[in-house]
């Protein structure tokens, strides 16, 4: 799977941009040798004729970021994980294109739909944990929608291989989905499984309510303090939306990391 040179694809045009985050952007570009789509007349881009290219922004990334991320991503092969194709150049890699947007655009949905999306996310995480890899930045923005409304986990820039103990090296994550044990910069390691389960729980809340429950889990944050005290707007709204989901999320967001359930346990509850 190869891609054309950037200069041949007008990659700076608005139509070429899949998405953009704090440390990278994802663009679509033609596959080598494809001038016209063989399946769709006047096609503006589909899986038959384009590939996604993730470009790292070096001003925010250290120089071994691409090698570290691509090495981990290349080890992953699961229907709920975006496929890795190959490294393109010193700061970009070719990956599977997904045309359905992200789960960040899908907040405040029904419990039925949220359960389906969460099963996809947890299946990907269970697979990763089984091969001793933690994602460490699970959030709605990193969950893409592919064919048949299937969630595909993406962005392995924070991912890390886990030691036999389950601990792993931590890199910069997202404050809204980071658990309390990693909320401070001086924390450099943690349980990858427990961190991912917490982040998946926050993502579940986002899908049901359409917003993050808090900006951070640092102790001065009122929303998180209210949650720990079993009160506040988020606690009440979630319990009203679905007592079933509420009971699961409370377990996923246990403040004691080792008490959080395994992904396979949460999957069994959501079936």
């Amino acid at each position: 799977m190869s891609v054309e040179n950037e200069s041949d694809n007008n990659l700076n045009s608005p139509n070429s941009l899949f998405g953009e985050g704090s440390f990278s952007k994802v663009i679509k570009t033609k596959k080598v040798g494809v001038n016209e789509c063989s399946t769709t007349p006047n096609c503006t881009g589909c899986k038959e004729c384009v590939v996604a290219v993730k470009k790292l922004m070096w001003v925010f990334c250290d120089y071994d970021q691409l090698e570290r991320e691509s090495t981990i991503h290349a080890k992953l092969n699961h229907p709920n994980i975006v496929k890795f194709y190959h490294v393109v150049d010193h700061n970009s890699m070719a990956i599977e294109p997904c045309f359905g947007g992200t789960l960040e655009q899908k907040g405040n949905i029904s419990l039925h739909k949220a359960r389906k999306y969460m099963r996809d996310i947890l299946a990907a995480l269970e697979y990763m944990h089984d091969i001793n890899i933690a994602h460490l930045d699970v959030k709605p923005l990193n969950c893409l929608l592919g064919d048949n409304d299937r969630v595909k986990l993406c962005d392995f820039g924070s991912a890390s291989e886990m030691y036999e103990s389950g601990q792993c090296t931590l890199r910069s994550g997202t404050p809204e989905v980071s658990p309390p044990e990693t909320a401070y910069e001086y924390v450099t390691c943690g349980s990858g499984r427990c961190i991912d389960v917490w982040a998946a729980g926050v993502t579940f809340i986002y899908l049901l309510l359409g917003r993050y429950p808090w900006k951070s889990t640092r102790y001065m944050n009122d929303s998180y303090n209210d949650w720990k005290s079993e009160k506040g707007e988020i606690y009440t709204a979630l319990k009203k939306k679905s007592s079933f989901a509420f009971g699961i999320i409370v377990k996923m967001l246990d403040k004691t990391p080792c008490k959080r359930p395994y992904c396979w346990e949460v999957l069994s509850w959501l079936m």
Side-chain angles (χ1 to χ4, degrees):
M1 182 72 64
S2 299
V3 299
E4 297 279 11
N5 185 277
E6 289 185 21
S7 60
D8 299 329
N9 285 277
N10 192 21
L11 297 180
N12 292 320
S13 69
N15 291 333
S16 72
L17 187 66
F18 265 128
E20 191 167 7
S22 300
F23 304 106
S24 64
K25 63 179 179 179
V26 180
I27 55 181
K28 60 182 178 182
T29 185
K30 291 185 297 183
K31 295 179 183 177
V32 165
V34 176
N35 294 318
E36 293 184 5
C37 182
S38 61
T39 59
T40 308
N42 302 316
C43 181
T44 58
C46 71
K47 294 185 77 171
E48 296 300 319
C49 58
V50 303
V51 64
V53 175
K54 179 177 180 178
K55 297 180 66 65
L56 305 184
M57 300 178 188
W58 288 117
V59 67
F60 299 113
C61 302
D62 53 70
Y63 288 101
D64 66 346
Q65 172 70 24
L66 180 73
E67 181 179 2
R68 182 171 61 239
E69 180 174 350
S70 61
T71 298
I72 287 179
H73 198 168
K75 295 179 180 179
L76 305 176
N77 182 20
H78 189 274
N80 295 115
I81 293 176
V82 167
K83 290 184 176 67
F84 172 84
Y85 293 148
H86 62 86
V87 171
V88 176
D89 56 31
H90 66 283
N91 72 332
S92 58
M93 66 185 83
I95 58 176
E96 175 187 9
C98 293
F99 297 93
T102 75
L103 290 190
E104 195 171 61
Q105 302 161 323
K106 299 285 184 178
N108 197 19
I109 58 178
S110 68
L111 174 62
H112 176 76
K113 181 67 78 171
R115 285 174 69 169
K116 187 269 179 195
Y117 288 154
M118 287 304 302
R119 288 196 297 268
D120 286 351
I121 294 168
L122 289 160
L125 291 175
E126 177 68 11
Y127 162 79
M128 290 181 64
H129 296 167
D130 280 348
I131 59 174
N132 295 316
I133 296 175
H135 187 281
L136 303 181
D137 198 24
V138 179
K139 59 184 177 182
L141 185 63
N142 287 340
C143 297
L144 307 183
L145 288 171
D147 296 341
N148 302 315
D149 209 30
R150 173 182 285 171
V151 174
K152 288 180 173 279
L153 199 58
C154 73
D155 193 349
F156 300 91
S158 297
S160 179
E161 297 194 61
M162 295 187 285
Y163 305 111
E164 288 186 9
S165 64
Q167 297 287 301
C168 60
T169 301
L170 303 182
R171 299 180 180 88
S172 58
T174 303
E176 289 89 343
V177 298
S178 298
E181 69 268 20
T182 67
Y184 294 90
E185 289 81 357
Y186 58 77
V187 179
T188 59
C189 66
S191 167
R193 178 191 70 81
C194 299
I195 292 168
D196 282 348
V197 168
W198 174 282
V202 174
T203 298
F204 201 177
I205 293 176
Y206 185 96
L207 292 175
L208 292 170
L209 301 183
R211 63 189 188 276
Y212 286 110
W214 40 72
K215 293 182 178 180
S216 169
T217 51
R218 293 194 182 206
Y219 296 125
M220 71 285 292
N221 185 280
D222 291 337
S223 296
Y224 180 61
N225 283 335
D226 284 345
W227 173 269
K228 289 196 300 181
S229 303
E230 301 184 2
K231 62 181 183 180
E233 179 191 1
I234 296 297
Y235 194 92
T236 303
L238 187 60
K239 201 167 186 178
K240 182 179 180 180
K241 178 96 178 193
S242 170
S243 58
F244 167 80
F246 174 84
I248 294 174
I249 291 168
V250 166
K251 292 181 174 67
M252 296 174 77
L253 300 186
D254 196 300
K255 64 181 180 181
T256 304
C258 64
K259 291 183 179 180
R260 293 170 203 155
Y262 286 83
C263 290
W264 64 263
E265 290 181 283
V266 184
L267 269 169
S268 70
W269 300 334
L270 293 173
M271 291 300 182

